[in-house]
Amino acid sequence: MTEYPMRVQKYLARCGAGPRRKCDIMVIEGRVRINGESIETPGTLVNEGDHVLLDGKIMSPLKMRYFLLNKPAGYVCVNNDSRGRTWVVDLIPKGRELGLFSVGRLDLDTTGLIVITNDGEIGNRISHPSSMVTKEYRALIRGHWTVKELISRLEKGVDLLDRGRVTGIKVVKVVDEGETTRISITIHEGRKHVVKRIFKAIGSRVIELERTAIGDQRIEGMNIGEWVEIDHDTISKKILGEV
Ligand code: URA
């Protein structure tokens, strides 16, 4: 690493403490000491060789690791949980030791593609709304819907029943299955339960949900529960669309 002095929240993210925005909060909560001094300002700089403690534990920069996983149902996308549930990072050997976390969230019952990393910097960039990373979801929804109906209800934007509006939805594919319809859509959104809330708002319900792509990275070829390690370059090019 050659970028010293470095802001403390960036340093913590490099040490696997979690995504950058969470590291900001750790600093504000007064959980961090540099060279024995308690600090509470996220902009505080760390110099090479500084002694940084988080909750009394020494923080050293980790080797950055990047994985793609086809998440099975029944795993939670959390980075700390007191309810004894199975974490998605546990599917990668030594996931917790490596400081891995999932980038964004898939619901307990949702399957599909998710990025797992210990690089808080890249995690932040992928999930930040300004990156506009496209996600593709395949959903089995209640009811018989035609392509025309779905395009007209979704592509003009959807007002969610609870709060907010989702725009930028694109219908990719629709397959009529009688009482149900299989649909693929793309969105840029990362709000909680957003796909289920979209279909609820148009009077349907999601029965099954799978994320099939993030950016240009598709899930095809990966079985459920399978993961693959990739490099920073692949993340930049295929997920963030950088050249
Ligand atoms: N939208 C949802 O409703 N659930 C997910 O898991 C992901 C997106």
Side-chain angles (χ1 to χ4, degrees), residues 132-137 150-151 153-159 165-172 184-191 194-195 198:
M132 294 284 284
V133 174
T134 305
K135 280 88 123 182
E136 185 184 277
Y137 290 91
L150 286 165
I151 288 178
R153 297 292 298 275
L154 296 173
E155 294 198 352
K156 68 181 192 315
V158 174
D159 289 313
R165 180 171 171 76
V166 184
T167 55
I169 306 169
K170 282 258 162 286
V171 175
V172 176
S184 289
I185 58 166
T186 59
I187 51 172
H188 302 294
E189 281 270 347
R191 272 182 277 175
V194 70
V195 176
I198 289 169

Side-chain angles (χ1 to χ4, degrees), residues 22-38:
K22 293 233 166 92
C23 295
D24 277 347
I25 296 167
M26 293 168 192
V27 175
I28 293 163
E29 288 173 342
R31 294 164 57 189
V32 180
R33 298 177 84 85
I34 302 180
N35 300 328
E37 239 181 81
S38 179

Side-chain angles (χ1 to χ4, degrees), residues 198-241:
I198 289 169
F199 286 105
K200 191 168 174 193
I202 66 161
S204 181
R205 194 163 75 76
V206 170
I207 303 164
E208 284 170 24
L209 185 61
E210 180 189 19
R211 182 154 65 195
T212 44
I214 308 174
D216 287 339
Q217 180 65 55
R218 300 201 57 84
I219 201 166
E220 281 79 11
M222 288 180 77
N223 295 318
I224 291 223
E226 199 175 306
W227 54 267
V228 59
E229 184 158 10
I230 54 172
D231 58 17
H232 185 279
D233 243 36
T234 307
I235 294 263
S236 303
K237 287 187 188 136
K238 294 205 96 173
I239 297 212
L240 286 165

